[in-house]
Amino acid sequence: MIRDIQNELMALANPRKAVILARFFKTGKGEYAEGDIFLGVMVPDTRRIAKKYATLSHHGIRRLLTSKYHEKRFVALLIMIEQFKKGDQETKNRIYHTYLTHTAYINNWDLVDLSAKHIVGAFLEPKPKNMLSILASSQNLWERRIAILATFYYIDRGHYVDTLRIARMLLDDKHDLIHTAVGWMLREVGKQCSQKILEDFLKKRYKKMPCTMLRYAIERLPAARRNAYLRGMI
């Protein structure tokens, strides 16, 4: 099955699109995804392949997840998500631990945003959330992004405490990809939980927040309210 997946992906490879994707996902020297390699396969095709081979063995998943090719890792994560959703507790445990021991390969924002909510967030939902704090304290950019994106699972269910806790930990982060992720999750708290909760959080911190984080967080507020935050007049 693993060979079939690889053959199908290679058959769809498009060098011209690979160049475009490599540029878009910042794979150049000194950029956040330096060295990542693309085949040039589009997301609808990777999703179709993942659905077709959703019963791939755990060994096969690990092989894909550790591939040098971005799209193979993308397919691996899609299959992991599907198996996690349908699996028993043993399956969920195995997928969760495989995920956290392979974060070096979950090394771009699309891979994190695809999977953190559905694997890390879902696994920790009935459990203590200490792992989120560990991830948020990591030197690894992607683990920090995983920490905040995992809380999307709770926001969807009307819970915001863990999102605000991890957001506080990441307020002084230096990387723009963390600024956008935290701002996005704060915006979702305001949208799905309560605008008051969002604004209570912002009023104490917005003057110290990175501009990108603040702009994302206030995006759905009324225009007058947004402008007041941006002018420091709250």
Side-chain angles (χ1 to χ4, degrees), residues 6-19:
Q6 292 175 333
N7 288 341
E8 289 198 29
L9 286 169
M10 295 306 294
L12 291 166
N14 184 319
R16 183 180 61 81
K17 291 180 179 178
V19 171

Side-chain angles (χ1 to χ4, degrees), residues 111-129:
L111 303 178
V112 172
D113 297 2
L114 167 74
S115 58
K117 165 184 172 179
H118 298 293
I119 295 177
V120 178
F123 183 85
L124 294 176
E125 195 274 333
K127 303 175 179 66
K129 309 295 190 298

